[in-house]
Short mmCIF file of all heavy atoms in Angstrom, two decimals:
data_model
loop_
_atom_site.label_atom_id
_atom_site.label_comp_id
_atom_site.label_asym_id
_atom_site.label_seq_id
_atom_site.Cartn_x
_atom_site.Cartn_y
_atom_site.Cartn_z
N LYS A 1 0.84 -1.24 0.05
CA LYS A 1 0.00 -0.06 0.05
C LYS A 1 0.86 1.28 0.03
O LYS A 1 2.00 1.16 0.45
CB LYS A 1 -0.92 0.01 1.30
CG LYS A 1 -1.84 -1.25 1.29
CD LYS A 1 -2.79 -1.25 0.16
CE LYS A 1 -3.71 -2.50 0.20
NZ LYS A 1 -4.49 -2.56 -0.97
N VAL A 2 0.31 2.41 -0.41
CA VAL A 2 1.03 3.59 -0.57
C VAL A 2 1.10 4.11 0.88
O VAL A 2 0.28 4.02 1.62
CB VAL A 2 0.18 4.57 -1.46
CG1 VAL A 2 0.80 6.00 -1.22
CG2 VAL A 2 0.19 4.08 -2.85
N VAL A 3 2.32 4.73 1.21
CA VAL A 3 2.50 5.20 2.51
C VAL A 3 1.59 6.45 2.70
O VAL A 3 1.53 7.25 1.99
CB VAL A 3 4.07 5.63 2.66
CG1 VAL A 3 4.24 6.30 4.06
CG2 VAL A 3 4.91 4.46 2.47
N PRO A 4 0.86 6.36 3.86
CA PRO A 4 -0.04 7.46 4.18
C PRO A 4 0.68 8.81 4.32
O PRO A 4 1.80 8.78 4.85
CB PRO A 4 -0.69 7.06 5.51
CG PRO A 4 -0.54 5.47 5.59
CD PRO A 4 0.77 5.25 4.91
N GLY A 5 -0.02 9.84 3.86
CA GLY A 5 0.64 11.15 3.73
C GLY A 5 1.36 11.44 2.48
O GLY A 5 1.80 12.62 2.30
N THR A 6 1.45 10.47 1.52
CA THR A 6 2.12 10.90 0.26
C THR A 6 1.24 11.87 -0.54
O THR A 6 0.03 11.63 -0.70
CB THR A 6 2.25 9.62 -0.69
OG1 THR A 6 2.97 8.78 0.16
CG2 THR A 6 2.88 9.85 -1.90
N LYS A 7 1.87 12.98 -0.92
CA LYS A 7 0.95 14.00 -1.55
C LYS A 7 0.83 13.82 -3.10
O LYS A 7 -0.20 14.29 -3.55
CB LYS A 7 1.62 15.45 -1.31
CG LYS A 7 1.73 15.80 0.21
CD LYS A 7 2.37 17.13 0.45
CE LYS A 7 2.55 17.37 1.92
NZ LYS A 7 3.09 18.72 2.24
N ASP A 8 1.82 13.27 -3.73
CA ASP A 8 1.83 13.22 -5.14
C ASP A 8 0.77 12.31 -5.76
O ASP A 8 0.38 12.49 -6.81
CB ASP A 8 3.12 12.92 -5.71
CG ASP A 8 4.22 14.05 -5.40
OD1 ASP A 8 3.74 15.19 -5.20
OD2 ASP A 8 5.40 13.75 -5.38
N TYR A 9 0.47 11.18 -4.98
CA TYR A 9 -0.47 10.32 -5.48
C TYR A 9 -0.98 9.58 -4.29
O TYR A 9 -0.49 9.45 -3.20
CB TYR A 9 0.22 9.14 -6.42
CG TYR A 9 1.35 8.53 -5.84
CD1 TYR A 9 1.33 7.40 -4.96
CD2 TYR A 9 2.70 9.04 -6.11
CE1 TYR A 9 2.52 6.91 -4.44
CE2 TYR A 9 3.87 8.54 -5.49
CZ TYR A 9 3.59 7.33 -4.70
OH TYR A 9 4.84 6.82 -4.13
N LYS A 10 -2.18 8.99 -4.43
CA LYS A 10 -3.02 8.49 -3.19
C LYS A 10 -3.04 6.92 -3.21
O LYS A 10 -3.35 6.21 -2.11
CB LYS A 10 -4.46 8.93 -3.26
CG LYS A 10 -5.27 8.46 -4.51
CD LYS A 10 -6.65 9.10 -4.45
CE LYS A 10 -7.45 8.65 -5.54
NZ LYS A 10 -8.96 9.23 -5.58
N ASP A 11 -2.66 6.22 -4.39
CA ASP A 11 -2.77 4.83 -4.34
C ASP A 11 -1.79 4.28 -5.58
O ASP A 11 -1.14 5.05 -6.32
CB ASP A 11 -4.15 4.24 -4.61
CG ASP A 11 -4.91 4.89 -5.79
OD1 ASP A 11 -4.21 5.34 -6.76
OD2 ASP A 11 -6.08 5.01 -5.94
N ASN A 12 -1.65 2.89 -5.63
CA ASN A 12 -0.73 2.29 -6.55
C ASN A 12 -1.18 2.61 -7.95
O ASN A 12 -0.42 2.57 -8.98
CB ASN A 12 -0.64 0.83 -6.29
CG ASN A 12 0.19 0.47 -5.09
OD1 ASN A 12 1.12 1.24 -4.84
ND2 ASN A 12 -0.19 -0.55 -4.40
N MET A 13 -2.58 2.78 -8.14
CA MET A 13 -3.07 3.10 -9.61
C MET A 13 -2.50 4.31 -10.13
O MET A 13 -1.96 4.41 -11.25
CB MET A 13 -4.57 3.02 -9.60
CG MET A 13 -5.17 3.06 -10.97
SD MET A 13 -4.99 1.66 -11.84
CE MET A 13 -5.98 0.49 -10.97
N GLU A 14 -2.58 5.33 -9.35
CA GLU A 14 -1.98 6.61 -9.68
C GLU A 14 -0.43 6.60 -9.89
O GLU A 14 0.12 7.06 -10.85
CB GLU A 14 -2.33 7.73 -8.72
CG GLU A 14 -3.83 8.10 -8.69
CD GLU A 14 -4.16 9.33 -7.88
OE1 GLU A 14 -3.06 9.86 -7.29
OE2 GLU A 14 -5.28 9.71 -7.68
N LEU A 15 0.21 5.84 -8.99
CA LEU A 15 1.72 5.81 -9.15
C LEU A 15 2.11 4.97 -10.48
O LEU A 15 2.98 5.39 -11.11
CB LEU A 15 2.33 4.90 -8.00
CG LEU A 15 3.69 4.53 -7.94
CD1 LEU A 15 4.64 5.91 -8.00
CD2 LEU A 15 4.16 3.79 -6.79
N SER A 16 1.41 4.04 -10.68
CA SER A 16 1.66 3.18 -12.05
C SER A 16 1.46 4.10 -13.27
O SER A 16 2.15 4.07 -14.09
CB SER A 16 0.82 1.91 -12.11
OG SER A 16 -0.50 2.21 -12.23
N LEU A 17 0.42 4.88 -13.25
CA LEU A 17 0.20 5.81 -14.37
C LEU A 17 1.20 6.86 -14.50
O LEU A 17 1.62 7.18 -15.64
CB LEU A 17 -1.26 6.39 -14.19
CG LEU A 17 -1.74 7.32 -15.34
CD1 LEU A 17 -1.68 6.65 -16.65
CD2 LEU A 17 -3.14 7.88 -15.13
N LEU A 18 1.60 7.46 -13.46
CA LEU A 18 2.64 8.45 -13.40
C LEU A 18 3.94 7.88 -13.92
O LEU A 18 4.64 8.54 -14.68
CB LEU A 18 2.81 9.03 -11.87
CG LEU A 18 1.67 9.83 -11.39
CD1 LEU A 18 2.02 10.25 -9.98
CD2 LEU A 18 1.54 11.12 -12.13
N ARG A 19 4.39 6.60 -13.44
CA ARG A 19 5.57 6.12 -14.05
C ARG A 19 5.43 5.74 -15.53
O ARG A 19 6.39 5.94 -16.39
CB ARG A 19 5.75 4.75 -13.28
CG ARG A 19 6.31 5.00 -11.86
CD ARG A 19 6.64 3.63 -11.03
NE ARG A 19 7.26 3.92 -9.91
CZ ARG A 19 7.61 2.95 -9.06
NH1 ARG A 19 7.31 1.68 -9.24
NH2 ARG A 19 8.30 3.31 -7.95
N ALA A 20 4.25 5.23 -16.04
CA ALA A 20 4.04 5.17 -17.49
C ALA A 20 4.15 6.37 -18.22
O ALA A 20 4.79 6.41 -19.20
CB ALA A 20 2.66 4.42 -17.75
N ASN A 21 3.58 7.47 -17.71
CA ASN A 21 3.70 8.72 -18.31
C ASN A 21 5.11 9.24 -18.32
O ASN A 21 5.58 9.86 -19.40
CB ASN A 21 2.92 9.73 -17.62
CG ASN A 21 1.44 9.63 -17.87
OD1 ASN A 21 1.07 9.22 -19.03
ND2 ASN A 21 0.53 10.03 -16.93
N ALA A 22 5.88 8.89 -17.28
CA ALA A 22 7.27 9.32 -17.21
C ALA A 22 8.04 8.71 -18.28
O ALA A 22 8.92 9.17 -18.97
CB ALA A 22 7.98 9.06 -15.77
N VAL A 23 7.90 7.39 -18.59
CA VAL A 23 8.55 6.58 -19.59
C VAL A 23 8.17 7.07 -20.96
O VAL A 23 9.05 7.35 -21.84
CB VAL A 23 8.31 5.12 -19.49
CG1 VAL A 23 8.84 4.34 -20.62
CG2 VAL A 23 8.81 4.50 -18.20
N ALA A 24 6.81 7.32 -21.16
CA ALA A 24 6.40 7.81 -22.52
C ALA A 24 6.98 9.20 -22.75
O ALA A 24 7.37 9.41 -23.93
CB ALA A 24 4.90 7.82 -22.47
N ASN A 25 7.04 10.04 -21.72
CA ASN A 25 7.59 11.47 -21.93
C ASN A 25 9.12 11.33 -22.33
O ASN A 25 9.65 12.10 -23.16
CB ASN A 25 7.42 12.30 -20.79
CG ASN A 25 5.95 12.63 -20.70
OD1 ASN A 25 5.14 12.61 -21.56
ND2 ASN A 25 5.55 12.87 -19.34
N ALA A 26 9.78 10.51 -21.66
CA ALA A 26 11.21 10.20 -21.85
C ALA A 26 11.55 9.72 -23.31
O ALA A 26 12.41 10.11 -23.98
CB ALA A 26 11.77 9.22 -20.84
N LEU A 27 10.68 8.80 -23.75
CA LEU A 27 10.69 8.30 -25.10
C LEU A 27 10.51 9.40 -26.13
O LEU A 27 11.27 9.49 -27.18
CB LEU A 27 9.72 7.12 -25.45
CG LEU A 27 10.05 5.84 -24.71
CD1 LEU A 27 8.85 4.89 -24.84
CD2 LEU A 27 11.29 5.22 -25.13
N ALA A 28 9.46 10.23 -25.81
CA ALA A 28 9.26 11.37 -26.85
C ALA A 28 10.45 12.32 -26.85
O ALA A 28 10.76 12.96 -27.85
CB ALA A 28 7.90 12.07 -26.37
N GLU A 29 11.06 12.67 -25.57
CA GLU A 29 12.14 13.47 -25.71
C GLU A 29 13.38 13.04 -26.31
O GLU A 29 14.14 13.72 -26.83
CB GLU A 29 12.55 13.77 -24.11
CG GLU A 29 11.46 14.58 -23.26
CD GLU A 29 12.01 14.61 -21.86
OE1 GLU A 29 12.96 14.00 -21.39
OE2 GLU A 29 11.07 15.26 -20.98
N ASN A 30 13.29 11.65 -26.48
CA ASN A 30 14.43 11.01 -27.24
C ASN A 30 14.03 10.83 -28.76
O ASN A 30 14.68 9.95 -29.38
CB ASN A 30 14.85 9.73 -26.71
CG ASN A 30 15.67 9.86 -25.31
OD1 ASN A 30 16.95 10.10 -25.39
ND2 ASN A 30 15.02 9.85 -24.14
N GLY A 31 12.95 11.44 -29.19
CA GLY A 31 12.69 11.39 -30.57
C GLY A 31 11.61 10.61 -31.07
O GLY A 31 11.33 10.54 -32.28
N VAL A 32 10.91 9.80 -30.21
CA VAL A 32 9.76 8.97 -30.68
C VAL A 32 8.56 9.84 -30.68
O VAL A 32 8.30 10.73 -29.91
CB VAL A 32 9.52 7.85 -29.63
CG1 VAL A 32 8.34 6.95 -30.01
CG2 VAL A 32 10.78 7.00 -29.50
N SER A 33 7.80 9.58 -31.81
CA SER A 33 6.59 10.33 -32.06
C SER A 33 5.58 10.11 -30.86
O SER A 33 5.35 8.91 -30.60
CB SER A 33 5.99 10.01 -33.43
OG SER A 33 4.72 10.71 -33.67
N LYS A 34 4.96 11.16 -30.40
CA LYS A 34 4.06 10.98 -29.36
C LYS A 34 2.77 10.25 -29.73
O LYS A 34 2.20 9.60 -29.01
CB LYS A 34 3.70 12.42 -28.75
CG LYS A 34 4.67 13.04 -27.87
CD LYS A 34 4.30 14.14 -27.25
CE LYS A 34 5.24 14.85 -26.21
NZ LYS A 34 4.83 16.07 -25.50
N ARG A 35 2.32 10.42 -30.98
CA ARG A 35 1.23 9.71 -31.56
C ARG A 35 1.35 8.20 -31.45
O ARG A 35 0.33 7.51 -31.58
CB ARG A 35 0.72 10.26 -32.87
CG ARG A 35 1.63 9.82 -34.01
CD ARG A 35 1.21 10.51 -35.23
NE ARG A 35 1.93 9.95 -36.41
CZ ARG A 35 1.77 8.93 -37.21
NH1 ARG A 35 0.64 8.16 -36.85
NH2 ARG A 35 2.45 8.52 -38.18
N ARG A 36 2.55 7.71 -31.39
CA ARG A 36 2.90 6.23 -31.33
C ARG A 36 2.89 5.81 -29.89
O ARG A 36 2.95 4.58 -29.78
CB ARG A 36 4.23 6.03 -32.11
CG ARG A 36 4.28 6.41 -33.55
CD ARG A 36 3.29 5.61 -34.32
NE ARG A 36 3.54 6.00 -35.76
CZ ARG A 36 2.77 5.48 -36.70
NH1 ARG A 36 1.71 4.54 -36.50
NH2 ARG A 36 2.92 5.75 -37.94
N LEU A 37 2.67 6.60 -28.95
CA LEU A 37 2.84 6.11 -27.48
C LEU A 37 1.51 6.39 -26.83
O LEU A 37 0.91 7.43 -26.88
CB LEU A 37 3.87 7.10 -26.88
CG LEU A 37 5.36 7.05 -27.44
CD1 LEU A 37 6.20 8.12 -26.72
CD2 LEU A 37 5.97 5.63 -27.26
N VAL A 38 1.15 5.25 -26.07
CA VAL A 38 -0.13 5.19 -25.27
C VAL A 38 0.24 4.66 -23.85
O VAL A 38 0.24 3.61 -23.76
CB VAL A 38 -1.11 4.26 -25.96
CG1 VAL A 38 -2.46 4.29 -25.10
CG2 VAL A 38 -1.52 4.74 -27.46
N PRO A 39 0.44 5.70 -22.99
CA PRO A 39 0.74 5.29 -21.52
C PRO A 39 -0.62 4.84 -20.77
O PRO A 39 -1.64 5.48 -20.99
CB PRO A 39 1.31 6.43 -20.83
CG PRO A 39 0.74 7.64 -21.79
CD PRO A 39 0.53 7.15 -23.10
N SER A 40 -0.57 3.92 -19.85
CA SER A 40 -1.81 3.57 -19.12
C SER A 40 -1.11 2.97 -17.74
O SER A 40 -0.02 2.38 -17.76
CB SER A 40 -2.55 2.52 -19.70
OG SER A 40 -1.86 1.39 -20.25
N GLY A 41 -1.97 3.05 -16.66
CA GLY A 41 -1.49 2.40 -15.42
C GLY A 41 -2.49 1.38 -14.94
O GLY A 41 -3.72 1.54 -15.08
N PHE A 42 -1.98 0.35 -14.39
CA PHE A 42 -2.88 -0.75 -13.84
C PHE A 42 -2.72 -1.16 -12.36
O PHE A 42 -3.28 -2.01 -11.76
CB PHE A 42 -2.42 -2.10 -14.64
CG PHE A 42 -3.03 -1.85 -16.13
CD1 PHE A 42 -1.97 -1.59 -17.13
CD2 PHE A 42 -4.29 -2.31 -16.52
CE1 PHE A 42 -2.43 -1.31 -18.41
CE2 PHE A 42 -4.62 -2.10 -17.77
CZ PHE A 42 -3.80 -1.68 -18.82
N GLY A 43 -1.80 -0.31 -11.63
CA GLY A 43 -1.55 -0.64 -10.32
C GLY A 43 -1.02 -2.01 -10.01
O GLY A 43 -0.18 -2.51 -10.74
N ASP A 44 -1.64 -2.59 -8.98
CA ASP A 44 -1.31 -3.96 -8.66
C ASP A 44 -2.47 -4.99 -8.96
O ASP A 44 -2.53 -6.11 -8.49
CB ASP A 44 -1.04 -4.10 -7.09
CG ASP A 44 -2.30 -3.53 -6.32
OD1 ASP A 44 -3.19 -3.20 -6.94
OD2 ASP A 44 -2.35 -3.76 -5.05
N LEU A 45 -3.21 -4.62 -10.14
CA LEU A 45 -4.27 -5.45 -10.59
C LEU A 45 -3.85 -6.73 -11.36
O LEU A 45 -4.52 -7.59 -11.34
CB LEU A 45 -5.34 -4.58 -11.31
CG LEU A 45 -5.94 -3.42 -10.53
CD1 LEU A 45 -6.88 -2.82 -11.51
CD2 LEU A 45 -6.78 -4.04 -9.41
N HIS A 46 -2.76 -6.62 -12.03
CA HIS A 46 -2.21 -7.74 -12.88
C HIS A 46 -0.94 -8.08 -12.44
O HIS A 46 0.11 -7.90 -13.32
CB HIS A 46 -2.39 -7.38 -14.25
CG HIS A 46 -3.77 -6.84 -14.81
ND1 HIS A 46 -4.77 -7.66 -14.79
CD2 HIS A 46 -4.19 -5.56 -15.10
CE1 HIS A 46 -5.83 -7.04 -15.27
NE2 HIS A 46 -5.55 -5.75 -15.39
N PRO A 47 -0.75 -8.79 -11.43
CA PRO A 47 0.59 -9.25 -10.98
C PRO A 47 1.01 -10.55 -11.84
O PRO A 47 0.19 -11.30 -12.33
CB PRO A 47 0.54 -9.72 -9.54
CG PRO A 47 -1.00 -10.08 -9.40
CD PRO A 47 -1.70 -9.23 -10.34
N VAL A 48 2.41 -10.58 -12.18
CA VAL A 48 2.88 -11.66 -12.89
C VAL A 48 3.27 -12.85 -11.85
O VAL A 48 3.46 -14.16 -12.33
CB VAL A 48 4.08 -11.39 -13.70
CG1 VAL A 48 3.69 -10.47 -14.80
CG2 VAL A 48 5.18 -10.66 -12.85
#
């Protein structure tokens, strides 16, 4: 579980989406077209 008091996000779902956006933004900064990138977050719903 997310540590209580965390201001940037309230649960694992938001954290996973923020990390996916960070990767997509880094790919775009390195020259990948944004229209080819689709970020999404699933939290802890699909463990391997």
